Amino acid sequence: MECLAIGSLPYDNPQEAIDVVKKYFYNIPFWPQLAKVSKNEDMTFQFLEGMPSFFISENFSFDTENENFYEDLEQFYIDYEEIIGNNNLDLLEKYAISENFSSTFRGFLDLAKNSKLAKGQIVGPFTLATTLTDKSGRCAIYDETLREIIIKTLVLKAIWQIKQIKATGAKPIIFIDEPSISQLGTSAYLTISQEEVVDMIKEISDAIQANGGLSAIHCCGKCDWSAPIKTGINIISLDAYAYAQNLSIFNKDVDNFLKQGGKIAWGVVPTLDKDALEKANLELMIDKFDKAVKYLTKKGISEKLIIENSYVSPSCGAGSLPKELALKAMELTKQLSDSLKERYNDN
């Protein structure tokens, strides 16, 4: 059973981070997000490069009142249609993730040359649209135009990664990091329907798949997993240390998802609970994984079906952890992967 990682690491040296990926995640490497190198590598900021009429203030804001806003917007849509409709890869470079926004991407591509699969990521459209605002402070999710800008920018960021990864010979997996969908349906977003959010994510997932990638969604909170599954995503990734039982509530959706080729990334290694991680060992992680699987088998889902369609991972990114604990989480994830491979004779 292969292991995946979510994204962030607490390093200020890009090569040190790449070395960790090479050591523990060589079968499915990922490019680390290093916010300690630059604020540009923060999850919500990293994918804003090239977004029309976006500027930095106390809040992440669009300058919709700027005299150039509609001109910028028109050019953005022209570019988008040329890239998507005519596969203009030269123009796609305009929306690349530059080295100023990822210090590890080039090193990651070197690792991908030796792998069958390689993992990229983007922030999720719902999470980003509930973070960004217009100048009046109104959330972008409530403005149809700003919502479209966000979705289409993230599509371009995902496609650009796919093209780069495919050039190494590896098959791309693009994770859509959506922590905020755990808030969907709460009082904070009562006027946002599940269908709207499903459509937002589906547009990006469809684009990932149409360009030869596998699409994945990660949520580290208590989530209504029927929504991500409705998007046609290939992989769902959860904090299975804290919320494995929550997934079993949606057992019928999960059963159909697995039968149609979907996969689960079980985040059983705790990165959001420092005390739990300090106490964690391989035996405890195996026990956590077994309990997570049993929540589904007790609902009638085939254990064989689950195991054949599973990855293991940390529960979330490790960027906020001390280095020694982040390294422990990566080591435990690899040890758990190796142990489960041996158990299930997975070669």
Side-chain angles (χ1 to χ4, degrees):
M1 189 176 298
E2 292 294 351
C3 56
L4 296 165
I6 304 305
S8 62
L9 289 175
Y11 295 94
D12 55 13
N13 181 315
Q15 188 56 53
E16 190 176 0
I18 288 294
D19 288 343
V20 169
V21 177
K22 183 178 181 180
K23 183 174 183 179
Y24 299 111
F25 298 92
Y26 48 81
N27 283 339
I28 309 179
F30 68 101
W31 56 275
Q33 297 161 302
L34 305 181
K36 289 189 176 181
V37 169
S38 168
K39 67 179 182 181
N40 290 351
E41 298 199 33
D42 176 82
M43 180 186 79
T44 54
F45 191 72
Q46 194 166 40
F47 305 99
L48 304 180
E49 189 179 15
M51 188 178 285
S53 295
F54 178 81
F55 73 101
I56 302 300
S57 62
E58 291 182 2
N59 297 313
F60 294 131
S61 304
F62 286 96
D63 191 359
T64 54
E65 299 172 10
N66 188 292
E67 62 182 10
N68 295 323
F69 176 70
Y70 288 104
E71 183 179 338
D72 289 351
L73 185 60
E74 181 180 7
Q75 186 59 55
F76 175 73
Y77 280 127
I78 290 170
D79 290 349
Y80 187 85
E81 291 304 319
E82 180 67 16
I83 292 166
I84 300 300
N86 296 324
N87 197 32
N88 188 332
L89 300 186
D90 291 335
L91 187 56
L92 181 60
E93 284 298 314
K94 181 177 177 180
Y95 299 94
I97 302 168
S98 73
E99 291 188 22
N100 288 332
F101 284 75
S102 176
S103 56
T104 62
F105 194 80
R106 297 300 167 189
F108 153 74
L109 290 178
D110 288 338
L111 298 183
K113 292 174 184 176
N114 301 311
S115 305
K116 292 181 180 179
L117 294 168
K119 174 191 171 289
Q121 61 265 338
I122 56 171
V123 65
F126 180 68
T127 295
L128 191 56
T130 53
T131 302
L132 302 185
T133 68
D134 62 18
K135 284 191 73 174
S136 68
R138 183 171 179 256
C139 233
I141 189 74
Y142 300 113
D143 185 301
E144 187 175 344
T145 298
L146 299 185
R147 192 190 303 187
E148 279 299 303
I149 291 172
I150 288 167
I151 293 168
K152 286 179 167 47
T153 298
L154 293 176
V155 165
L156 295 178
K157 298 295 182 182
I159 293 175
W160 181 81
Q161 289 181 68
I162 288 169
K163 302 298 185 187
Q164 299 294 314
I165 294 169
K166 286 175 73 174
T168 70
K171 186 174 182 66
I173 305 173
I174 304 297
F175 265 57
I176 302 168
D177 293 330
E178 276 286 20
S180 293
I181 59 169
S182 63
Q183 301 300 310
L184 187 61
T186 67
S187 58
Y189 303 111
L190 276 178
T191 60
I192 304 298
S193 70
Q194 184 186 96
E195 290 73 20
E196 288 176 284
V197 178
V198 167
D199 287 345
M200 292 171 71
I201 298 170
K202 180 174 173 53
E203 185 171 341
I204 297 174
S205 176
D206 286 352
I208 290 169
Q209 293 170 3
N211 283 274
L214 296 171
S215 60
I217 189 163
H218 171 72
C219 179
C220 48
K222 188 179 287 187
C223 171
D224 178 349
W225 285 102
S226 67
I229 288 172
K230 287 175 185 174
T231 67
I233 211 88
N234 298 116
I235 302 167
I236 57 173
S237 166
L238 71 150
D239 176 352
Y241 185 87
Y243 300 115
Q245 190 169 10
N246 172 247
L247 182 64
S248 68
I249 295 171
F250 310 96
N251 57 294
K252 291 182 180 178
D253 296 294
V254 173
D255 192 27
N256 289 332
F257 173 70
L258 293 172
K259 286 176 178 175
Q260 293 169 11
K263 297 184 184 298
I264 301 172
W266 300 94
V268 294
V269 179
T271 50
L272 297 176
D273 186 333
K274 291 181 183 178
D275 291 339
L277 182 56
E278 285 174 348
K279 297 172 185 175
N281 57 39
L282 179 58
E283 184 179 359
L284 286 171
M285 296 301 92
I286 292 171
D287 183 60
K288 273 288 183 182
F289 176 79
D290 289 343
K291 286 179 178 177
V293 171
K294 283 179 182 176
Y295 285 131
L296 293 183
T297 58
K298 286 178 180 178
K299 293 291 184 75
I301 301 178
S302 160
E303 181 179 5
K304 184 175 185 290
L305 180 65
I306 297 166
I307 297 304
E308 289 178 349
N309 292 286
S310 288
Y311 298 102
V312 291
S313 74
S315 61
C316 198
S320 63
L321 292 171
K323 280 186 183 181
E324 63 273 14
L325 277 183
L327 189 63
K328 180 178 180 179
M330 302 303 112
E331 288 175 334
L332 275 175
T333 303
K334 182 62 169 64
Q335 288 171 7
L336 178 60
S337 170
D338 289 344
S339 178
L340 293 174
K341 282 182 180 180
E342 184 176 352
R343 178 201 284 184
Y344 296 114
N345 195 26
D346 180 4
N347 297 315

